[in-house]
Amino acid sequence: LMWPRSPPNHKEWQGSGTTAHFGDIVLGRCYTYTQIVRPELRDKDCQKIQEVFLKSFLSKDPCDATEQDYQPLIELANQTVPCNKTVFWSKTKELAHQYTRVQQALFTLENTLLGYIADDLSWCGDSGSSEINYQSCPTRRDNCSSNPVSVFWNTVSKRFAEDACGVVHVVLNGSLNEAFDRRSTFGRVEIHNLHPKKVHTLQAWVMHDIGGVRRPVRFLQCVKNPEHPSCTSGI
Ligand code: 2NF
């Protein structure tokens, strides 16, 4: 007979541990979002969402998280963003959110239920215990790219992009040498999961003077969709 291992009291991993009061924050943010921010979602079951979120990573190896781990959570949240209202961002988090705070019909991922709940939180568990690890969580420095947080963002970002339709927008940082970074979530995941039959235009807003440095534009406003005649320019 094996007792579950007690949580380590030393730092097992290099990253910071699960955010203190993780479960309460998830529940509170879920209620804030569904009751106050988007009351049309008031019938969502936040207790269930919290339970399913915790189940998606507890008692599992935190270097072996998978997209499937988050499928039940994604299905519970089941939120549709209207066509023409999706806003991606890369290295422009503050600015993009300032913009969607004013333009409330627009949605970044963090303006959807799951993005709102998880933004800036950290979480992980352990395969040998059913406890939350508040001490430390693995990162890429631990040679652990399939950690629960990274896999969560890759999975929900992919789904967010797959669901996008009409004209979609991306806010990029024109003060960097490369506003479009292929290694970012936008460059690695989101752009590759837009459906050409649904998304006819990707409009990039390349914002200059972020951080006060102006550099030449290297990115055009429209990604070509060969099937759509109105879209004539490419990357
Ligand atoms: O934390 C978020 N809210 C978040 C994280 C990852 C991805 C949001 N996203 C979604 C958003 F919806 C945007 O459309 O992807 C887009 C932004 O990601 P990006 O990688 O293109 O932009 P960055 O400014 O380079 O990164 C944004 C934040 O996400 C973290 C990164 O450290 C920064 O704090 N991040 C990016 N990739 C990962 C990853 N694989 C990541 N954190 C963990 N694992």
Side-chain angles (χ1 to χ4, degrees):
L1 185 84
M2 293 247 290
W3 291 104
R5 251 194 295 134
S6 52
N9 48 22
H10 65 283
K11 277 205 167 196
E12 196 177 3
W13 307 107
Q14 296 204 44
S16 44
T18 303
T19 308
H21 308 285
F22 178 83
D24 291 340
I25 294 172
V26 167
L27 189 61
R29 286 185 176 181
C30 181
Y31 281 125
T32 300
Y33 189 86
T34 58
Q35 299 298 313
I36 296 165
V37 181
R38 302 278 172 190
E40 62 274 20
L41 298 184
R42 72 178 74 78
D43 293 335
K44 293 280 177 209
D45 184 346
C46 286
Q47 295 282 354
K48 185 76 186 168
I49 286 171
Q50 179 204 42
E51 177 196 321
V52 168
F53 198 158
L54 291 170
K55 271 192 185 151
S56 61
F57 69 93
L58 288 182
S59 305
K60 294 180 183 179
D61 177 352
C63 286
D64 195 21
T66 65
E67 292 202 7
Q68 293 88 287
D69 291 337
Y70 291 108
Q71 288 316 309
L73 181 62
I74 286 173
E75 276 157 40
L76 258 184
N78 180 42
Q79 186 177 12
T80 51
V81 171
C83 289
N84 313 313
K85 303 302 183 197
T86 296
V87 178
F88 301 104
W89 55 268
S90 198
K91 281 128 187 137
T92 54
K93 186 173 186 178
E94 269 300 311
L95 184 66
H97 291 139
Q98 280 173 16
Y99 189 70
T100 61
R101 213 170 296 140
V102 178
Q103 297 291 326
Q104 292 212 5
L106 299 179
F107 290 80
T108 64
L109 181 54
E110 297 73 27
N111 298 124
T112 69
L113 176 58
L114 290 183
Y116 186 91
I117 288 175
D119 197 23
D120 295 328
L121 300 185
S122 173
W123 64 89
C124 66
D126 186 284
S127 57
S129 132
S130 57
E131 317 248 300
I132 293 176
N133 189 347
Y134 290 107
Q135 301 295 327
S136 65
C137 289
T139 64
R140 237 168 307 163
R141 278 175 297 155
D142 293 294
N143 203 6
C144 176
S145 53
S146 293
N147 63 73
V149 175
S150 292
V151 171
F152 171 87
W153 288 112
N154 287 339
T155 306
V156 297
S157 298
K158 179 179 168 196
R159 181 61 180 263
F160 185 58
E162 285 171 346
D163 290 345
C165 47
V167 182
V168 304
H169 293 95
V170 60
V171 184
L172 297 177
N173 188 337
S175 298
L176 301 175
N177 284 326
E178 304 214 309
F180 177 71
D181 175 1
R182 291 178 185 282
R183 293 155 308 168
S184 69
T185 307
F186 177 69
R188 259 184 322 111
V189 179
E190 291 172 329
I191 203 165
H192 300 292
N193 283 285
L194 298 172
H195 282 212
K197 294 207 166 126
K198 293 201 292 182
V199 174
H200 60 77
T201 305
L202 169 61
Q203 193 168 333
W205 291 325
V206 182
M207 307 305 292
H208 293 278
D209 276 353
I210 295 178
V213 190
R214 193 185 167 99
R215 292 233 165 76
V217 185
R218 290 171 199 257
F219 198 92
L220 290 177
Q221 326 280 279
C222 188
V223 167
K224 188 173 167 188
N225 171 3
E227 293 170 51
H228 203 281
S230 79
C231 207
T232 51
S233 52
I235 295 183

